[in-house]
Amino acid sequence: MDCLFCSIASKDIPSQLIYEDELVMAFRDINPQAPVHFLVVPKLHIHSLDQVNEAHDGLIAHIMRLIPSLASEQGIVNGYRVVNNCGSDGGQTVGHIHFHVLGGREMLWPPG
Ligand code: 5GP
Ligand code: ZN
């Protein structure tokens, strides 16, 4: 399957990896929107949040529990934003589920 984040997970496409284990990887966004901006991505290909089901409960919990420790490791001290863009109106441009973590500046609300 031709998927950008599967290709990054298999190392066919390089990335600035900050973390990897058997289930997930985290790497810097190529077009950062904040001083710290990385993506947490399951190695399993799941298109979007709409495709998540109970078989993924452990994986999703793992990602959510990992994010605070990665944010801290990356030097974020005053809080951060976790974003999942789902589908076209949600702004999803890569069809492999991923969670943005943005920090190092104050975030605006509501988002654009
Ligand atoms: P989405 O718009 O789907 O929520 O997020 C996709 C993100 O992937 C964007 O923030 C975009 O900058 C990032 N991105 C797109 N292509 C690449 C790439 O080849 N490498 C990395 N590291 N990030 C990418
Ligand atoms: Zn994929």
Side-chain angles (χ1 to χ4, degrees), residues 81-83 105-112:
R81 182 163 292 171
V82 180
V83 173
R105 68 168 171 84
E106 190 177 351
M107 299 296 150
L108 304 175
W109 190 263

Side-chain angles (χ1 to χ4, degrees), residues 26-58:
F27 51 87
R28 294 189 197 294
D29 196 291
I30 206 167
N31 182 23
Q33 302 300 313
V36 180
H37 183 180
F38 60 88
L39 305 173
V40 185
V41 182
K43 291 182 173 178
L44 179 68
H45 181 87
I46 301 170
H47 181 79
S48 81
L49 195 58
D50 278 340
Q51 278 71 45
V52 169
N53 62 48
E54 65 186 348
H56 306 125
D57 284 355

Side-chain angles (χ1 to χ4, degrees):
M1 190 195 316
D2 193 17
C3 169
L4 176 62
F5 287 172
C6 283
S7 298
I8 288 179
S10 64
K11 313 271 167 66
D12 291 325
I13 293 179
S15 69
Q16 285 188 273
L17 257 190
I18 64 166
Y19 177 84
E20 180 175 18
D21 64 25
E22 66 281 5
L23 294 176
V24 304
M25 54 201 308
F27 51 87
R28 294 189 197 294
D29 196 291
I30 206 167
N31 182 23
Q33 302 300 313
V36 180
H37 183 180
F38 60 88
L39 305 173
V40 185
V41 182
K43 291 182 173 178
L44 179 68
H45 181 87
I46 301 170
H47 181 79
S48 81
L49 195 58
D50 278 340
Q51 278 71 45
V52 169
N53 62 48
E54 65 186 348
H56 306 125
D57 284 355
L59 174 62
I60 298 299
H62 179 61
I63 290 171
M64 289 300 134
R65 301 233 313 121
L66 189 57
I67 284 172
S69 62
L70 294 180
S72 171
E73 269 177 38
Q74 292 302 307
I76 298 174
V77 290
N78 282 323
Y80 50 89
R81 182 163 292 171
V82 180
V83 173
N84 171 255
N85 296 326
C86 181
S88 55
D89 277 3
Q92 184 174 3
T93 60
V94 176
H96 179 135
I97 193 170
H98 51 281
F99 296 86
H100 298 254
V101 181
L102 301 117
R105 68 168 171 84
E106 190 177 351
M107 299 296 150
L108 304 175
W109 190 263

